[in-house]
Amino acid sequence: MKRRPFLFGLGAAALLPAAWLATRGERANAREDAAAGPAIERLQKTPAEWKVLLSPAAYSVLFEEATERAGSSPLNNEHRPGTYCCAACFLPLFDAAHKYESGTGWPSFFTHLPGVMGTKRDWKLIYPRTEYHCIRCGGHQGHVFDDGPEPTGQRWCNNGLALRFVPQGEPLPELRT
């Protein structure tokens, strides 16, 4: 057996799992985006405009894709019925009925409201993850994993700083313009 073709084949075989994961993720992203429903008009603001409206910590999470410390959000202990909106543009993202205790230290949901999330592949921790953003303002919310409860099997793990909770019976805030 010739050494060079053997090593080339071995190297190509080693790359197959990574290629499969990337392709799988792209298919998942396409499914999510295809299920988006009616188009939501995108809100365009400059970083300076967002910095005036948000705390430095919220800006960092939403527009620099930071992650808040696990267990630091008061929304972890929020159990009332209501709606979770994007903290930047106020688009409703989650119904409180879809929230569950994941044990991760971040507010977690097994699904989101239809048509409100965009996804992209995130390689920041070397292995691929699916990051999701508010479809209206682009604000980073968190990551979605396939280890959640039924009926979806998904865990939409969200930064509390990226959300605003509105209890049931209270009016939702007007969308920011």
Side-chain angles (χ1 to χ4, degrees):
M1 173 155 58
K2 296 202 180 209
R3 185 173 170 197
R4 187 174 303 226
F6 173 75
L7 291 175
F8 178 77
L10 188 61
L15 293 175
L16 284 176
W20 177 80
L21 281 172
T23 304
R24 181 175 169 253
E26 295 308 317
R27 285 194 305 263
N29 290 349
R31 278 195 307 271
E32 183 61 36
D33 295 340
I40 293 174
E41 187 174 333
R42 178 116 169 125
L43 177 62
Q44 299 289 334
K45 288 193 177 296
T46 65
E49 289 172 311
W50 282 122
K51 286 180 180 180
V52 169
L53 297 170
L54 302 167
S55 71
Y59 179 84
S60 180
V61 166
L62 285 157
F63 296 105
E64 295 174 341
E65 299 178 347
T67 300
E68 68 188 355
R69 187 174 45 82
S72 65
S73 176
L75 294 180
N76 289 337
N77 298 317
E78 181 59 66
H79 302 292
R80 295 175 290 172
T83 304
Y84 291 85
C85 299
C86 174
C89 71
F90 304 148
L91 180 69
L93 301 177
F94 298 100
D95 187 305
H98 301 143
K99 185 173 185 263
Y100 74 99
E101 179 51 57
S102 67
T104 62
W106 290 281
S108 296
F109 305 84
F110 61 82
T111 193
H112 58 83
L113 297 175
V116 298
M117 298 295 185
T119 61
K120 73 176 189 177
R121 182 61 63 204
D122 170 4
W123 292 87
K124 290 179 189 149
L125 295 180
I126 301 174
Y127 64 92
R129 300 182 298 169
T130 301
E131 183 177 298
Y132 62 95
H133 297 254
C134 171
I135 198 78
R136 185 163 183 263
C137 68
H140 166 74
Q141 296 293 318
H143 292 85
V144 61
F145 303 95
D146 291 328
D147 61 1
E150 293 300 326
T152 65
Q154 295 179 327
R155 172 172 49 99
W156 293 78
C157 191
N158 218 97
N159 288 287
L161 285 169
L163 294 172
R164 176 177 175 175
F165 178 70
V166 180
Q168 187 175 353
E170 292 186 18
L172 294 173
E174 292 289 323
L175 296 178
R176 278 197 167 133
T177 58

